[in-house]
């Protein structure tokens, strides 16, 4: 007899009072053929998943899995009408994700998820947890997402996570999947909890080679910076830039640039991620230290940020540096206001007239730069008062 249960993160989030748009369902006691007869549309490539004909929500047949090879793809899945709900829930990662609710709104909780949710504990369901290295990243991400609720990881689960790192299970993770999970964690209200947990389990240095010395000296600054960026609601790429920039605080380019290139290559950072981190590391310290008495020093920063063509990116850069400066305590006053005034002064120039005044085309860049420098000098408080 076919039975349908609601499962997964939507139930967890509902109990925590969090918004959740995606609902998942498990179907017990049926076959793919019967699902299609009832109008469900098959979409699963590796296992039987169907879309409801009206709601288009996902309905998966109850299934078990067996480990056959290293990594998170080395599983054989088994689904047939004899697989029970309890067997399906047992293959899930955490007890708070292994609860179900039937059509009569009765809870099925064979692994103590309701108790762990009440006690704010992340605990693995079974020893099979260690067979999927993605779960290490998921637990770290859940810590970040649920940080406002004060969740901690059960000691036995932390021990298992460290064992997964030590025995090389996480080495099978591909860069794209690592970055996908890290990006999700970066979008939470407390991304620092994710990095803190990964460091505690020994995984951070796997994903960011040679980070150990930096983490000891500037790890706290990096955690504070990324959480401050989250509180300021910075975009994900800017939060990445805040975390890495604070981590490299006080390091010379000879130190941070090779590391940055290695991390970007290993994690397959997007072009935008890579550019933002490099821009902040290269120009951020100069911007944060720029004196109100020397507005002409904005010129190389405006040029480096390509502010003429991308003014909005320059404004985001200023916002990022204010975020960093508040954490690093190296911020000159009114950074954004001064930066926007500097750009406005340059934008007010009559560029076509300057271009026409140049004796030769080769002299146009020099003419433009000299005019911009003069416009910025005019912003100096001492020059305006004379």
């Amino acid at each position: 007899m076919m039975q349908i249960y609601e499962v997964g993160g939507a139930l967890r989030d509902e109990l925590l009072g969090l918004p959740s748009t995606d609902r998942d369902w498990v179907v017990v006691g049926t076959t793919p053929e019967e699902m299609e007869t009832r109008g469900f549309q098959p979409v699963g490539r590796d296992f039987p998943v169907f879309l409801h004909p009206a709601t288009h929500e996902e309905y998966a047949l109850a299934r078990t899995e067996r480990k056959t090879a290293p990594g998170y793809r080395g599983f054989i899945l088994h689904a047939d009408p004899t697989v029970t709900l309890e067997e399906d829930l047992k293959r899930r990662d955490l007890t708070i994700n292994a609860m179900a609710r039937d059509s009569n709104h009765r809870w099925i909780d064979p692994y103590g998820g309701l108790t762990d949710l009440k006690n704010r504990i992340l605990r693995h369901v079974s020893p099979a947890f260690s067979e999927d290295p993605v779960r290490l990243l998921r637990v770290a991400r859940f810590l970040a997402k649920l940080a406002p609720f004060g969740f901690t990881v059960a000691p036995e689960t932390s021990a298992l996570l460290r064992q997964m790192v030590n025995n090389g299970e996480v080495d099978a993770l591909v860069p794209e999947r690592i970055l996908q999970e890290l990006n999700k964690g970066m979008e939470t209200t407390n991304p620092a909890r994710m990095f803190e947990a990964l460091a505690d389990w020994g995984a951070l240095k796997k994903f960011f080679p040679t980070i150990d010395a930096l983490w000891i000296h500037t790890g706290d600054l990096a955690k504070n910076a990324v959480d401050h960026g989250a509180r300021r609601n910075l975009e994900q790429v800017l939060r990445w830039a805040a975390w890495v920039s604070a981590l490299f605080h006080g390091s010379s380019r000879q130190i941070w640039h090779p590391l940055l290139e290695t991390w970007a290559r290993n994690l397959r950072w997007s072009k935008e991620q890579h550019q933002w981190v490099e821009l902040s590391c290269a120009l951020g310290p100069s911007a944060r230290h720029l004196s109100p008495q020397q507005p002409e020093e904005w010129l190389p920063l405006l040029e480096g940020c390509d502010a003429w063509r991308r003014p909005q990116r320059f404004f985001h850069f200023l916002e990022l540096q204010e975020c960093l400066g508040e954490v690093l305590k190296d911020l000159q006053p009114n950074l954004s206001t001064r930066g926007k005034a500097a750009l406005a002064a340059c934008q007010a120039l009559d560029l076509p007239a300057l271009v026409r005044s140049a004796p030769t085309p080769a002299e146009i860049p020099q003419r433009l730069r000299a005019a911009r420098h003069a416009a910025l000098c005019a912003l100096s408080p001492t020059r305006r008062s004379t």
Side-chain angles (χ1 to χ4, degrees), residues 34 40 43 62 92 98 176 212 225 234 240 253 280 291 347:
E34 183 178 355
F40 286 80
V43 293
R92 297 172 185 267
E176 291 80 4
D212 282 353
L234 296 186
W240 270 111
R253 182 181 177 87
S280 181
S291 168
Q347 289 174 326

Side-chain angles (χ1 to χ4, degrees), residues 71 185 319:
E319 186 180 13

Side-chain angles (χ1 to χ4, degrees), residues 189-205:
T189 56
N190 295 92
R193 290 288 287 120
M194 173 178 67
F195 294 112
E196 189 175 53
L198 293 174
D200 182 46
W201 304 328
L204 193 64
K205 61 186 178 183

Side-chain angles (χ1 to χ4, degrees), residues 58-345:
E58 288 191 355
Y59 285 66
L61 298 191
R63 59 192 186 270
T64 60
E65 58 190 21
R66 179 168 56 88
K67 183 77 167 176
T68 59
Y72 63 95
R73 293 175 174 167
F75 293 91
I76 291 180
L77 301 174
H78 171 70
D80 69 36
T82 66
V83 177
T84 67
L85 175 65
E86 288 74 14
E87 288 174 322
D88 180 274
L89 294 176
K90 188 176 183 179
R91 69 178 178 79
R92 297 172 185 267
D93 51 4
L94 300 171
T95 60
I96 63 170
N97 297 330
M99 303 179 289
R101 187 166 57 190
D102 67 15
S103 57
N104 294 316
H105 294 278
R106 291 179 298 203
W107 288 85
I108 298 91
D109 180 27
Y111 305 108
L114 288 171
T115 299
D116 283 342
L117 195 72
K118 178 181 178 181
N119 294 328
R120 306 301 197 238
I121 294 174
L122 302 181
R123 189 191 315 274
H124 65 284
V125 174
S126 75
F129 173 93
S130 63
E131 295 175 349
D132 184 355
V134 172
R135 289 173 169 175
L136 177 140
L137 288 161
R138 280 173 54 82
V139 174
R141 176 163 60 82
F142 279 132
L143 274 175
K145 175 181 178 177
L146 302 176
F149 297 93
F151 272 82
T152 60
V153 180
E156 63 271 26
T157 302
S158 287
L160 194 57
L161 289 162
R162 293 189 188 96
Q163 180 182 325
M164 291 167 64
V165 174
N166 293 335
N167 67 16
E169 184 69 26
V170 299
D171 296 340
L173 287 168
V174 297
E176 291 80 4
R177 191 57 191 273
I178 296 170
L179 184 60
Q180 180 185 30
E181 294 295 327
L182 292 178
N183 282 342
K184 289 180 180 178
M186 190 63 84
E187 292 174 349
T188 65
T189 56
N190 295 92
R193 290 288 287 120
M194 173 178 67
F195 294 112
E196 189 175 53
L198 293 174
D200 182 46
W201 304 328
L204 193 64
K205 61 186 178 183
K206 294 271 189 177
F207 307 143
F208 299 91
T210 326
I211 197 175
D212 282 353
L214 288 169
W215 193 250
I216 291 171
H217 293 101
T218 54
D220 287 342
L221 287 176
K223 289 185 290 184
N224 290 339
V226 73
D227 274 1
H228 193 45
R231 287 191 295 271
R232 292 180 63 121
N233 202 31
L234 296 186
E235 296 178 9
Q236 181 204 105
V237 288
L238 300 184
R239 297 183 194 189
W240 270 111
W243 185 72
V244 178
S245 297
L247 200 59
F248 288 140
H249 181 58
S251 298
S252 67
R253 182 181 177 87
Q254 288 73 20
I255 293 176
W256 66 256
H257 191 260
L259 276 180
L260 174 59
E261 294 301 304
T262 298
W263 295 352
R265 182 173 59 253
N266 287 358
L267 287 176
R268 308 287 199 276
W269 273 347
S270 69
K271 182 179 179 180
E272 185 182 22
Q273 283 175 310
H274 192 175
Q275 286 178 341
W276 265 113
V277 174
E278 182 155 13
L279 187 69
S280 181
C281 289
L283 300 181
S286 298
R288 297 193 303 272
H289 290 92
L290 198 151
S291 168
Q293 307 301 321
Q294 298 172 302
E296 66 274 12
E297 292 186 0
W298 278 106
L299 186 54
L301 292 170
L302 290 164
E303 293 171 338
C305 290
D306 195 14
W308 325 123
R309 296 189 306 162
R310 305 176 68 180
Q312 200 59 43
R313 186 174 78 153
F314 177 62
F315 299 152
H316 287 319
F317 171 80
L318 295 175
E319 186 180 13
L320 169 62
Q321 298 316 314
E322 284 195 333
C323 169
L324 278 165
E326 288 163 2
V327 172
L328 302 176
K329 310 299 183 187
D330 63 351
L331 182 66
Q332 290 286 336
N334 304 316
L335 179 70
S336 285
T337 301
R338 292 186 290 117
K340 291 176 181 178
L343 178 58

